[in-house]
């Protein structure tokens, strides 16, 4: 029953808001945080207690819909809920200063985003995946255009246009799958996909690749991403970068592992990921708008995760999961700090860092950037090391070199930013960072350092998660009941 | 004279060719038009072509509607209901997305007076 709660409760919250808002102005906000805390406790409880980490909710497997809660989907759901909860705490402390309007709508959209991301990860039915794909899309489009300024609306329009085109291709792929296989269940499709004629397989793969390619922000389908990040508010960017992109990445590779287990496609995906990272990091060098700069950095990191998943071996997938966690935490910190700076200083130009007068924020930002860069003793290091190691082991030295060069470019602009932050010069008046905001940042930073210093806390669980993710045969037997 | 068109192979060919033609009309519009509303219309055309393809290929004219009641209990001669349910859902979602898009476009036009996507370049550098 529990895996349904991850989708149902946030959606129910949306329907309950008219009732909740009668209880008072704050009721909605507190109810939202309480619900997320409950889900967080539930997911931690499941992490501890479900020994096999497999739970299926369904009506007679091949016919009905089913949710599969195994260790890897639980990991993603936990990360999403954890990030959303911290985000909500941050927003709770933000609202005292009255910074964003129409909070109820914002919270409904936030929870819709959480529900659909959890649904994307949990669902084992391709049409359900399409539905959650669209729900996540719609809430993201609205969040992107939320401020209703020209630039926000432009970002929303661009996001929506690419999303709508992506969904046409995804529906097309689903239609072809159903016409050829006669089922929408991922396990059934995975069983018969291999036997399809080559042309049909190729067409379906291309359509799925285009459909998901827009959403997983891979080159050359990622031209819209930086515009969207620049136009949306930094608060929302934290969600896009931390949650939405990760959910789509997981689903894409989940489908790749199930449909093409022997990796016909993977060499193409590996090179595409590496090229994508290189392009993103080079383009990031000359950016002067901080939101746009970190959008490029997100593209680079997502491409690195993409490459690692495409390698289809245990070490690389484990590395990818480490990077997923490290990147989500670091980007949450960075975009929340940017939101704070944008609100206080009303500018997001790179020069504003020179005038930033808040030692705490500077320190936090620096640690997040070091972790993104993959400096030892921070969480990003472990993941990057594992990915580079498995690249070297599988003999893909070309890709390895490309990733190292891309990381060097990344280092150049991070150190440029660090230089800006710690340069001597005139600073503005001191910023006051609230207690809750400070604790949110501190918690994330501590986690980044703890994971970096002692990766073995997580590596057992992530190792199991990566095995589960790669083991398509087991997934199929679990759903179809042997 | 129209018996020729009533064969299922001919119908399927027409459906496939017609919907693919429609798809490419939509794709052409998507790539060449600049007005935001026309782009939305192109996307709608592409979506309809996919829906048509699915319904056209999965519908069998000599089968009956998939409704089980006292007189119709033979499932073997019923059309498959899944494609229709799926496409209904997909139509609703696609309509919702397009409506949202048009509302964004209207708000954007009110603020800036622009409808051409080539002019939407305030988000560069």
């Amino acid at each position: 029953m529990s895996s349904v709660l991850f989708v149902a409760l946030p959606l129910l919250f949306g329907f309950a808001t008219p009732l909740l808002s009668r209880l008072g102005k704050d009721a909605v906000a507190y109810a939202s945080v309480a619900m997320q805390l409950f889900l967080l406790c539930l997911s931690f409880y499941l992490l501890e207690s479900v020994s096999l980490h497999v739970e299926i909710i369904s009506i007679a497997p091949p016919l009905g819909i089913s949710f599969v809660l195994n260790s890897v989907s639980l990991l993603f759901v936990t990360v999403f809920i954890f990030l959303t909860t911290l985000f909500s705490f941050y927003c709770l402390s933000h609202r005292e200063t009255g910074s964003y309007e129409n909070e109820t709508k914002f919270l409904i959209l936030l929870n819709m985003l959480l529900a659909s991301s959890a649904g994307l990860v949990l669902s084992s039915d391709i049409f359900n995946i399409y539905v959650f794909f669209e729900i996540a899309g719609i809430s993201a489009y609205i969040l992107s255009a939320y401020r209703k300024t020209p630039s926000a609306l432009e970002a929303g329009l661009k996001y929506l246009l690419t999303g709508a085109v992506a969904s046409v291709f995804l529906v097309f792929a689903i239609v072809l799958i159903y016409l050829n296989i006669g089922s929408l269940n991922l396990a059934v499709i995975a069983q018969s996909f291999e036997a399809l004629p080559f042309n049909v397989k190729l067409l379906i793969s291309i359509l799925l690749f285009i459909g998901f390619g827009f959403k997983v922000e891979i080159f050359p389908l990622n031209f819209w991403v930086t515009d969207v990040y620049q136009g949306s508010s930094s608060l929302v960017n934290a969600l896009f970068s931390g949650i939405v992109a990760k959910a789509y990445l997981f689903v894409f590779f989940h489908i790749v592992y199930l449909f093409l287990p022997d990796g016909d496609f993977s060499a193409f995906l590996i090179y595409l990921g590496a090229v994508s990272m290189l392009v993103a990091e080079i383009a990031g060098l000359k950016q002067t708008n901080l939101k746009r700069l970190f959008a490029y950095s997100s593209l680079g990191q997502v491409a690195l995760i993409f490459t690692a998943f495409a390698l289809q071996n245990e070490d690389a997938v484990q590395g990818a999961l480490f990077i997923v966690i490290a990147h989500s935490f670091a980007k949450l910190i960075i975009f929340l700090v940017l939101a704070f700076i944008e609100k206080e200083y009303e500018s997001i130009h790179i020069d504003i860092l020179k005038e930033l007068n808040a030692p705490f924020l500077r320190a936090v930002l620096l640690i997040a950037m070091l972790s993104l860069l993959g400096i030892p003793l921070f969480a990003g290091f472990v993941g990057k090391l594992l990915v580079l190691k498995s690249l070297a082991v599988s003999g893909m030295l070309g890709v390895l070199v490309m990733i190292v060069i891309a990381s060097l470019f990344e280092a150049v602009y991070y150190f440029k930013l660090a230089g800006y932050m710690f340069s001597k010069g005139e600073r503005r008046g001191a910023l006051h960072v609230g207690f809750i905001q400070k604790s949110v940042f501190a918690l994330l930073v501590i986690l980044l350092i703890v994971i970096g210093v002692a990766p073995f806390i997580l590596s057992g669980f992530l190792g199991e998660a990566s095995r589960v993710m790669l083991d398509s045969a087991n997934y199929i037997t679990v759903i179809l009941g042997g | 004279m129209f018996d020729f068109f009533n064969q299922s192979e001919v119908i399927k060919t027409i459906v496939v060719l017609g919907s693919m033609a429609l798809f490419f009309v939509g794709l052409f519009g998507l790539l060449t038009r600049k007005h935001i509303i026309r782009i939305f219309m192109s996307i709608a055309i592409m979506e309809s072509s996919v829906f048509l393809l699915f319904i056209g290929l999965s519908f069998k004219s000599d089968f009956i509607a998939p409704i089980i009641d006292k007189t119709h209990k033979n499932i073997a001669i019923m059309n498959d209901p899944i494609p229709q349910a799926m496409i209904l859902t997909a139509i609703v979602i696609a309509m919702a997305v397009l409506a949202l898009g048009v509302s964004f476009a209207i708000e954007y036009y009110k603020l800036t007076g622009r409808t051409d996507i080539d002019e939407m370049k305030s988000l560069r550098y």
Side-chain angles (χ1 to χ4, degrees), chain A residues 269-308:
Chain A
L269 294 181
I270 293 169
Y271 279 100
L272 193 68
V275 170
S276 190
M277 183 171 177
L278 199 58
V279 171
E281 304 293 11
I282 292 175
L285 280 178
K286 57 176 181 180
Q287 302 306 322
T288 52
N289 179 310
L290 284 175
K291 277 197 262 183
R292 202 172 175 88
L293 192 152
F294 283 111
Y296 278 109
S297 135
S298 271
L299 285 181
Q301 295 282 325
V302 165
L304 179 61
I305 300 172
F306 188 93
T307 318

Side-chain angles (χ1 to χ4, degrees), chain A residues 411-467:
Chain A
V412 170
Y413 63 75
Y414 283 151
F415 283 117
K416 186 172 84 179
L417 289 184
Y420 274 62
M421 276 197 293
F422 293 96
S423 68
K424 290 203 173 85
E426 264 187 43
R427 295 197 181 269
R428 299 199 182 192
L431 279 186
H432 174 69
V433 188
F435 174 71
I436 299 181
Q437 289 157 329
K438 257 187 187 161
S439 7
V440 167
F441 290 136
L443 177 61
L444 285 166
V445 163
I446 290 170
L447 280 173
L448 281 181
I449 295 174
V450 166
I451 296 173
V453 174
F456 49 82
I457 313 174
L458 277 179
S459 59
F461 182 73
L462 294 188
E464 197 209 322
S466 59
R467 274 190 294 281

Side-chain angles (χ1 to χ4, degrees), chain B residues 35-89:
Chain B
H35 195 288
I36 187 83
I37 302 291
R38 290 190 186 189
I39 291 176
F40 282 130
M41 284 164 74
S42 311
I43 293 175
I45 292 172
M46 281 167 80
E47 278 162 349
S48 327
S49 78
V50 176
F51 300 159
L52 268 178
L53 178 79
F54 197 23
I55 292 296
L57 288 188
S58 58
F59 179 77
K60 300 188 182 68
S61 51
D62 43 349
F63 280 32
I64 59 169
I67 302 167
I68 297 177
D69 59 11
K70 280 173 190 161
T71 49
H72 301 98
K73 283 180 182 161
N74 189 359
I75 304 174
I77 58 158
M78 285 178 181
N79 268 304
D80 184 358
I82 290 179
Q84 317 205 3
M86 239 181 85
I87 290 306
L88 268 179
T89 317

